[in-house]
Amino acid sequence: MIYAFLSFFDDNGGAEMFGYPISEYGPENGKGRIVQYFQRARMEWYPELAPEQRVQLADLGSIHFDLLAAQGKVDPALKKPLAAPGIIGDVPLSVK
């Protein structure tokens, strides 16, 4: 693991949360983004972002859904837009 991924891994639950690394870190197929795969996550490196935001988790659910849709295995119309953070449907997650 590169230091930034290791730091994120350690600070956010480690192996219990992400599982163990299942790949080395390296560029994602032609996209130039540095990634590393874990049993339950894919970490991505965004050097253009602020230091505390440079390691991001991939949206594996959407990636998998899009792959299945491209193969004709699911109807792309089933995919719902993402809700704004802090909201489930029309219900806010906190009361102000």
Side-chain angles (χ1 to χ4, degrees), residues 2-86:
I2 59 175
Y3 176 75
F5 289 167
L6 178 59
S7 180
F8 185 90
F9 181 87
D10 288 341
D11 292 346
N12 293 282
E16 190 173 310
M17 177 66 74
F18 305 112
Y20 293 100
I22 59 172
S23 76
E24 296 294 326
Y25 66 88
E28 182 75 352
N29 301 330
K31 296 180 183 172
R33 183 76 53 211
I34 302 295
V35 302
Q36 185 168 10
Y37 288 84
F38 295 79
Q39 290 171 313
R40 294 183 289 281
R42 180 176 84 184
M43 292 184 190
E44 302 174 335
W45 173 250
Y46 290 84
E48 68 275 12
L49 297 179
E52 66 278 0
Q53 297 175 333
R54 288 184 180 156
V55 176
Q56 304 266 323
L57 296 175
D59 183 356
L60 294 177
S62 285
I63 292 168
H64 185 69
F65 184 92
D66 292 346
L67 178 63
L68 292 176
Q71 295 172 350
K73 295 180 179 179
V74 297
D75 181 357
L78 293 173
K79 189 171 183 181
K80 298 181 184 220
L82 295 175

